[in-house]
Amino acid sequence: MFSAIADVLRQIGAAIATVVTLPFRALARLLGGASGSTRRGGRARRV
């Protein structure tokens, strides 16, 4: 019985962790992609 409760708590914790980290992952992708494309685009334009 305790293992079933522990499994439920683990699933809830995993769901909360996913929801909390999702905006930060999206922001990192946006910033990382923007800086990477800016560098590539800037170099291509100068050459």
Side-chain angles (χ1 to χ4, degrees):
M1 180 173 172
F2 288 113
S3 62
I5 294 172
D7 288 339
V8 170
L9 290 176
R10 275 192 213 107
Q11 290 176 353
I12 293 172
I16 291 173
T18 301
V19 170
V20 169
T21 58
L22 194 63
F24 295 105
R25 289 181 185 178
L27 185 63
R29 277 188 194 170
L30 287 174
L31 294 176
S35 65
S37 64
T38 305
R39 290 177 191 162
R40 291 179 197 140
R43 289 179 184 168
R45 290 178 193 146
R46 290 178 190 161
V47 174

